């Protein structure tokens, strides 16, 4: 039998064990939260050199398999063995096929012995273009309006309020291109004459290009606008360095498949031509140094959280890798460089344009005079018919006499 003294002792022991377990569980939760905040949110990010090396190795290992099977001319539109419709006329002589060795020989360029070029003149042209772009952006604020419209477009998540741009700085310095060299690239083809020429140059930009926004993270559960968290973010490009590859893709004519069975012969199939394009990309060993500043909260603010900086950097690097890092390239269609009259700018020449302008002035005067005469005759006829209608003439007599009693005169008739 249990005595009355042993029952309170067991209850006291069970309450102590429950309290100890509760305190131990709360302490473990606090330790886990503190470790997460310390190591994952406020942990020190790796050095820029280590991050750049890690990203370069990851790009090389990811793109090694794609590089073996990828070819910039692998599409049927740009393939060298396309079906081209030849003209039956012999008036336009076809030149011999120009291969890469022939082009290098005719331009006296030796890819093995030629020294890299500095591209100083090209840097001046690029600097003038960028300077004009910055001036135009500050004048009409078109870049601010367009970016605000894009950020608040339909792709904006529902948990974000309206995004406001607080700062845009386009920088003050210019990119420097140097060490340009030209070499043939085969694109995986085994034919020696199928290589295309590619120019590679080093690009270095040290500047401060800043883009800052502020918004609010809205919690809409369990009811709308349950909580609001202000967030401010500023991203600055401090330095960009890498190797730029540029090459020309010539225009290729090919036949498109016809939907009509009657026109299945090659001579009746429609012929389409792809325009000449400029392809450019960066090598995987490029380096992009960013400075990310963040501010979270309204009263108790958290400033410059390292985890947010890492997420933004990874997102920007992934955006660049998916678009213009080898083996992926960007192709820009080039306009026709054939000289045309509509593209001519400058004062008119004395022989051609001046005489053309002076000769066209009398013709323009005659046309204006004839147009005024026709309008005056129509106006007189309209007034004449209105007077006849007001005088009560029958419908048939309007075409036989005027209101004054004279004979009807055809518009434009010679005076008697």
């Amino acid at each position: 039998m249990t005595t009355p003294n042993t029952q309170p002792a067991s209850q006291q022991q069970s309450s102590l064990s429950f309290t100890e377990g509760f305190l131990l569980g709360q302490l473990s939760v606090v330790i886990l939260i503190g470790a997460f905040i310390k190591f994952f949110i406020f942990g020190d990010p790796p050095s820029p050199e280590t991050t750049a090396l890690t990203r370069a190795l990851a790009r090389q290992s990811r793109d090694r398999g794609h590089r073996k099977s990828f070819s910039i001319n692998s599409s049927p539109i740009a393939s060298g063995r396309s079906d081209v419709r030849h003209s039956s006329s012999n008036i336009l002589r076809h030149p011999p096929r120009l291969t890469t060795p022939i082009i290098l020989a005719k331009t006296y360029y030796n890819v093995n012995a030629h020294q890299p070029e500095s591209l100083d003149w090209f840097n001046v042209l690029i600097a003038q273009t960028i300077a004009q772009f910055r001036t135009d952006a500050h004048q009409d604020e078109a870049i601010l309006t367009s970016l605000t419209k894009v950020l608040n477009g339909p792709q904006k998540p529902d948990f974000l309020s309206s995004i406001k741009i607080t700062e845009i700085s386009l920088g003050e310095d210019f990119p420097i291109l140097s060490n340009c060299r030209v070499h043939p690239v085969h694109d995986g083809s085994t034919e020696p004459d199928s290589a295309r020429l590619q120019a590679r140059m080093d690009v270095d930009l040290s500047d401060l290009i800043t883009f800052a926004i502020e918004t609010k993270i809205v919690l809409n559960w369990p009811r709308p606008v349950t909580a609001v968290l202000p967030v401010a973010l500023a991203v600055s490009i401090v330095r960009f360095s890498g190797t730029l590859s540029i090459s020309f893709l010539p225009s290729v004519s090919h036949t498109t498949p016809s939907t009509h069975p009657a026109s299945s012969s090659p001579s009746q199939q429609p012929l389409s031509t792809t325009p000449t394009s400029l392809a450019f990309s960066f090598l995987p060993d490029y380096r992009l140094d960013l400075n990310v500043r963040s501010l979270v909260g309204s009263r108790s603010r958290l400033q410059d959280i390292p985890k947010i900086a890492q997420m933004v950097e990874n997102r920007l690097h992934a955006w660049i890798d998916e678009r213009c890092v080898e083996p992926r390239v960007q192709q820009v269609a080039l306009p026709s460089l054939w000289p045309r009259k509509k593209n001519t700018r400058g004062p008119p020449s004395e022989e051609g344009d001046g005489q053309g302008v002076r000769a066209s002035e009398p013709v323009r005067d005659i046309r204006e005079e004839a147009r005024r005469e026709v309008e005056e005759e129509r106006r007189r006829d309209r007034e004449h018919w209105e007077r006849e209608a007001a005088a009560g003439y029958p419908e048939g007599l309007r075409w036989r006499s005027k209101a004054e009693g004279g004979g009807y005169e055809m518009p434009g008739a010679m005076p008697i």
Side-chain angles (χ1 to χ4, degrees):
M1 295 180 64
T2 59
T3 61
N5 295 330
T6 59
Q7 185 174 3
S10 62
Q11 292 179 357
Q12 184 178 5
Q13 185 177 3
S14 62
S15 62
L16 289 176
S17 60
F18 174 75
T19 305
E20 292 175 355
F22 178 75
L23 294 177
L24 182 61
Q26 295 295 325
L27 182 61
S28 62
V29 171
V30 171
I31 292 175
L32 289 176
I33 294 175
F36 175 79
I37 293 176
K38 180 179 180 181
F39 294 103
F40 289 92
I41 297 181
F42 294 100
D44 295 332
S47 61
E49 291 78 8
T50 305
T51 305
L53 181 60
T54 304
R55 289 197 178 101
L57 294 176
R59 293 189 200 101
Q60 291 178 1
S61 60
R62 183 180 65 249
D63 298 336
R64 187 176 292 111
H66 298 282
R67 191 184 302 273
K68 295 179 180 179
S69 59
F70 177 80
S71 173
I72 197 172
N73 295 326
S74 58
S75 61
I77 294 179
S79 61
R81 298 180 179 274
S82 59
D83 186 12
V84 181
R85 186 188 303 174
H86 297 282
S87 176
S88 59
S89 176
N90 295 326
I91 299 177
L92 183 60
R93 302 301 178 89
H94 295 278
R97 181 185 177 187
L98 293 178
T99 60
T100 299
I102 295 177
I103 294 176
L104 294 175
K106 289 181 176 294
T107 54
Y108 306 101
Y109 193 97
N110 189 354
V111 295
N112 298 322
H114 200 281
Q115 296 295 327
E117 300 179 7
S118 60
L119 295 179
D120 294 338
W121 63 273
F122 192 67
N123 292 330
V124 175
L125 296 180
I126 293 295
Q128 291 178 354
T129 305
I130 296 177
Q132 185 62 39
F133 170 75
R134 291 171 178 171
T135 303
D136 297 340
H138 284 87
Q139 287 180 354
D140 53 4
E141 296 184 355
I143 185 173
L144 178 61
T145 305
S146 60
L147 288 178
T148 303
K149 185 177 180 181
V150 170
L151 292 177
N152 293 279
Q155 297 181 353
K156 182 176 68 67
D158 296 334
F159 58 86
L160 292 180
S161 63
S162 61
I163 302 176
K164 179 183 178 182
I165 300 176
T166 58
E167 181 184 359
I168 295 179
S169 177
L170 300 179
E172 299 178 356
D173 294 331
F174 304 101
I176 302 300
L177 284 72
S178 60
N179 194 21
C180 179
R181 56 273 186 197
V182 178
H183 61 91
V185 179
H186 290 279
D187 285 337
S189 179
T190 57
E191 298 181 3
D193 296 339
S194 62
R196 58 183 175 88
L197 293 176
Q198 183 183 77
R200 287 186 176 180
M201 58 200 74
D202 297 337
V203 182
D204 191 5
L205 174 63
S206 297
D207 204 347
L208 190 63
I209 304 175
T210 306
F211 181 71
I213 60 173
E214 63 179 16
T215 184
K216 294 179 182 179
I217 300 178
V218 182
L219 181 61
N220 295 320
W221 188 88
R223 56 186 179 84
V225 196
T226 303
V228 177
L229 181 63
V231 177
L233 186 65
V235 182
S236 300
I237 299 178
V238 180
R239 184 183 177 185
F240 178 83
S241 61
T243 303
L244 176 64
S245 301
I246 299 178
S247 60
F248 286 97
L249 302 180
S251 60
V252 178
S253 301
H254 63 96
T255 56
T256 57
S258 178
T259 57
H260 302 284
S263 59
S264 59
S265 60
S267 59
Q268 297 180 356
Q269 292 181 356
L271 184 67
S272 61
T273 303
T274 58
T276 303
S277 59
L278 175 69
F280 68 91
S281 62
F282 293 96
L283 295 186
D285 58 349
Y286 75 94
R287 177 176 176 178
L288 178 62
D289 295 341
L290 301 173
N291 182 17
V292 181
R293 304 188 306 273
S294 60
L295 191 63
V296 180
S298 57
R299 295 181 179 179
S300 300
R301 296 189 173 185
L302 300 177
Q303 186 175 3
D304 298 339
I305 301 177
K307 195 63 178 179
I308 295 180
Q310 293 181 9
M311 292 173 59
V312 172
E313 291 182 2
N314 293 335
R315 184 59 182 172
L316 288 178
H317 281 86
W319 187 87
I320 296 175
D321 294 344
E322 293 173 357
R323 285 163 175 80
C324 54
V325 176
E326 289 187 355
R328 300 172 180 88
V329 297
Q330 285 288 321
Q331 293 188 15
V332 180
L334 298 179
S336 177
L337 299 180
W338 188 262
R340 296 183 179 180
K341 187 65 178 178
K342 65 178 182 179
N343 298 330
T344 304
R345 301 294 184 271
S349 60
E350 297 180 357
E351 292 81 4
D353 295 344
Q355 292 180 358
V357 173
R358 288 192 298 268
S360 61
E361 290 179 355
V363 177
R364 188 181 300 111
D365 295 340
I366 294 174
R367 291 178 179 176
E368 291 292 334
E369 184 178 357
R371 184 179 60 82
R372 288 194 298 266
E373 291 180 356
V374 172
E375 291 179 354
E376 183 66 22
E377 291 176 358
R378 291 178 179 175
R379 185 184 61 82
R380 290 198 303 266
D381 294 339
R382 192 180 302 108
E383 293 177 355
H384 169 62
W385 295 336
E386 291 175 357
R387 288 194 301 268
E388 286 186 347
Y393 279 88
E395 186 69 22
L397 296 178
R398 296 183 189 178
W399 300 94
R400 298 181 182 179
S401 63
K402 296 184 180 180
E404 296 79 8
Y408 182 76
E409 183 177 342
M410 291 294 294
M414 300 266 316
I416 302 175

